[in-house]
Amino acid sequence: MNYIHRAMEATFLRLNKEFPALLLTGPRQVGKTTMLQKLASEENIGREYVTLDDLTERQMAKNDPKLFLQIHKPPVFIDEVQYAPELFTYIKIHVDQNRRAGDFWLTGSQVFKLMEGIQESLAGRVCLLHMSPMSQAEIYGAATAPFVLDLEQLSQRIKERTPIDTPALYERIFRGGMPALISGQYSDHRAVYSSYISTYIDRDVKELSGTIDSLRFMDFITAAAALCGQMLNYKTIADAAGIDQITAKNWLGILERLGIVFYLHPYSNNMLKRMVTKPKLYFYDCGLVAYLTKWSNSDTLMNGAMSGAILENFVVSEIVKSYQNCGWEAFIYYYRDKDTKEIDILLEDSGKLYPMEIKKTATPQKQLTRVFGVIDKATLERGTGAVLCTTDRLSAFDSQNLIVPIWGI
C-alpha cells in the first residue's frame, strides 16, 4: 500500500514549529494516525507513539496521568486522546513549565467532546486542526490552497488540475475520500463502507449515547444521507427511522461530534429581512452518502433523483476541506428568504460576500446570477459571484460573474 501525501502535512509541520501542542481531530479512518506516524518517522528526534485504544495505556492515562507523562516523555504522539481528558491538566503544566514547540502531538475522533476539555485546560496552548476524508486536490496530487473567487488564483488552480467530464466527476463523488479505498488497500466500495458504519460509527455512537438499536440507527443515518444538501428537518428523519425528534436531534449531534456531518447556517444580518433560520445538512464524505442511499454505481447516481443534491454536497465539502487543510476556518453560509430566493453558497472573506450557485450543467445561463442581487442590501460589499458547474474550463459571464468548473475546486 502506497502512502498518499496529505495536504495538511505542510500546515502541520509549519504550526509544529510554533505551538507546544497540536491536536488533530476528525472521524476515524481518514488518515490522522498514518500521516502523523509518517511525519514522526521523518523527524529523527525519537518521538514516542502511544495509543489510548490500548486499554492498559488508557487506564494509566486516566488513573495516573502524571505517571503516564513521566513514562511517555515529550516529544510524544498520543493517539485517541479523547479517552483520557485527565491528561489535559498535566499537559498544560508541562507546556507552561517548558514552552517547547512540538512537544505534544495529539489525535482525537470526537471533536466537540474534546473541545470542552481543551477550553478548560489548554486554551491558548494548543493548535486545533481538523482532518476530513480526502479532497479531490489531495487524491489527484494538486496543490491545495483555500478556495477563493479571485480570477488570478483560480487560473493558477485550474492549471494544476486535469479537466474531467461529468461522468468522471460523478465517479469521484461515488468513490468518496476514504484513504483505504483511494490507496488501493481495499477495492470493494460496499464492504469498506459497511464495515466503517458497523465497526466505527455504530460503536462510537453507542459509546457516546449508551445503548442504541443498530437497525434504527442505520435507518436514521440513511434518512440523514437522503437529505444531504437540504434544510434540516428532524421530523422527516425521525419518521423515516421510527424514532422521536429528540433522538434524531441527539444522534445528529453525535454525527457532527464524530466529524461525519456538518452544517451550513443561513447568512443573516439586520439589513436582510425574512430569512429562514434552519441550517442545511452536509456529509464530509460523498462516498458514504452514495453507499447509504444505495446507488449501485456512479452512472445511476449521476442520472438519479439525488444527482443535484449530492453534487452540491460534494462542492460544499470540497470548499470546506480546502480551508481545513490549511488550518483555517471557512466562513461559509447559504442564503434563503421566505420568498424562496436562494443562493447555494455565500463565502465571507476580507469584508466581502462572494455568492455562488451550484449547477449540474456544462453550459450555465447568465440568468442564474440574477439572484445574487438579493445580498446588495447586506452590510458587507458583494464580491465576485460564480456559477460552479460541470463545464470543462474557467470562463466568465462578465467581470463580476465567473463560470468555474467543479473539478477545479
Side-chain angles (χ1 to χ4, degrees):
M1 182 181 71
N2 294 325
Y3 175 76
I4 303 175
H5 284 283
R6 302 303 298 266
M8 191 173 283
E9 289 176 21
T11 300
F12 192 93
L13 291 174
R14 170 174 56 83
L15 295 169
N16 186 56
K17 296 176 182 178
E18 301 173 10
F19 286 86
L22 293 93
L23 170 61
L24 181 60
T25 67
R28 294 183 185 274
Q29 299 294 295
V30 297
K32 303 185 298 295
T33 303
T34 301
M35 183 189 82
L36 294 189
Q37 286 181 327
K38 174 73 171 177
L39 296 181
S41 72
E42 296 170 351
E43 277 187 309
N44 296 318
I45 62 172
R47 182 181 300 274
E48 184 180 2
Y49 170 75
V50 56
T51 175
L52 299 189
D53 273 331
D54 183 320
L55 294 180
T56 302
E57 297 287 5
R58 186 189 304 183
Q59 185 177 28
M60 190 199 323
K62 289 183 71 66
N63 296 336
D64 197 340
K66 186 175 183 180
L67 175 62
F68 179 91
L69 291 179
Q70 288 175 349
I71 293 173
H72 304 295
K73 294 180 180 179
V76 62
F77 169 15
I78 306 173
D79 210 0
E80 301 296 352
V81 72
Q82 77 273 0
Y83 288 126
E86 294 84 358
L87 284 172
F88 293 145
T89 297
Y90 291 88
I91 292 174
K92 172 184 179 292
I93 292 170
H94 178 92
V95 166
D96 289 347
Q97 289 176 346
N98 296 277
R99 281 288 170 184
R100 276 198 308 268
D103 264 359
F104 294 95
W105 291 4
L106 313 170
T107 73
S109 301
Q110 297 174 12
V111 181
F112 294 101
K113 180 181 178 183
L114 278 170
M115 291 291 284
E116 296 170 8
I118 283 178
Q119 286 169 346
E120 293 166 7
S121 304
L122 289 175
R125 298 169 180 85
V126 64
C127 178
L128 292 169
L129 297 168
H130 184 84
M131 178 180 279
S132 295
M134 298 182 74
S135 67
Q136 62 174 335
E138 290 180 282
I139 294 169
Y140 298 99
T144 298
F147 179 81
V148 292
L149 288 182
D150 175 87
L151 186 57
E152 185 176 335
Q153 292 185 48
L154 278 173
S155 298
Q156 183 60 39
R157 195 181 195 94
I158 294 296
K159 287 178 184 177
E160 297 167 353
R161 312 289 175 93
T162 301
I164 59 172
D165 60 15
T166 303
L169 179 62
Y170 273 87
E171 177 60 34
R172 289 186 180 184
I173 294 171
F174 182 81
R175 189 181 184 194
M178 298 303 288
L181 286 167
I182 302 301
S183 67
Q185 180 183 2
Y186 300 107
S187 59
D188 191 325
H189 176 272
R190 293 184 182 182
V192 167
Y193 281 111
S194 174
S195 173
Y196 183 65
I197 291 169
S198 60
T199 305
Y200 296 105
I201 299 179
D202 193 351
R203 185 185 75 185
D204 284 344
V205 170
K206 287 177 180 176
E207 194 171 276
L208 291 170
S209 68
T211 302
I212 63 166
D213 183 327
S214 293
L215 292 178
R216 286 190 187 278
F217 177 74
M218 189 66 186
D219 289 340
F220 153 77
I221 194 173
T222 299
L227 291 178
C228 74
Q230 300 181 44
M231 283 196 293
L232 184 59
N233 189 320
Y234 292 119
K235 185 177 188 305
T236 300
I237 296 173
D239 289 348
I243 57 178
D244 58 60
Q245 292 187 51
I246 293 174
T247 301
K249 185 175 183 178
N250 290 340
W251 285 0
L252 275 170
I254 291 171
L255 289 184
E256 185 183 15
R257 190 183 307 176
L258 294 174
I260 306 299
V261 304
F262 66 100
Y263 301 106
L264 275 199
H265 292 277
Y267 182 82
S268 64
N269 65 36
N270 293 333
M271 302 301 292
L272 299 174
K273 307 296 185 183
R274 296 172 55 79
M275 300 290 293
V276 300
T277 57
K278 290 182 179 179
K280 292 173 76 171
L281 176 67
Y282 296 91
F283 280 65
Y284 281 109
D285 185 34
C286 287
L288 178 60
V289 174
Y291 168 76
L292 287 167
T293 49
K294 301 177 178 60
W295 297 99
S296 57
N297 55 54
S298 60
D299 286 339
T300 58
L301 178 62
M302 178 177 68
N303 296 307
M306 276 192 68
S307 64
I310 203 166
L311 182 68
E312 179 178 327
N313 193 130
F314 179 74
V315 170
V316 172
S317 64
E318 288 291 318
I319 292 174
V320 169
K321 290 174 189 176
S322 77
Y323 282 80
Q324 287 178 344
N325 287 333
C326 296
W328 297 3
E329 180 181 356
F331 296 103
I332 182 172
Y333 313 90
Y334 81 98
Y335 175 94
R336 184 181 174 95
D337 61 28
K338 292 179 181 176
D339 297 323
T340 70
K341 291 178 180 176
E342 184 168 357
I343 300 173
D344 293 330
I345 297 174
L346 285 178
L347 181 65
E348 183 179 342
D349 183 55
S350 302
K352 292 185 179 182
L353 283 177
Y354 297 86
M356 295 174 241
E357 279 288 293
I358 303 164
K359 294 296 176 186
K360 180 190 167 188
T361 177
T363 55
Q365 302 300 308
K366 186 177 180 180
Q367 65 189 36
L368 291 171
T369 65
R370 289 178 186 168
V371 71
F372 296 165
V374 298
I375 61 169
D376 285 341
K377 293 181 180 179
T379 51
L380 296 181
E381 179 184 349
R382 176 168 36 134
T384 304
V387 176
L388 312 178
C389 59
T390 56
T391 184
D392 60 355
R393 61 191 175 88
L394 176 66
S395 57
F397 295 113
D398 52 48
S399 61
Q400 292 301 310
N401 296 286
L402 305 176
I403 303 170
V404 180
I406 290 171
W407 52 261
I409 297 174

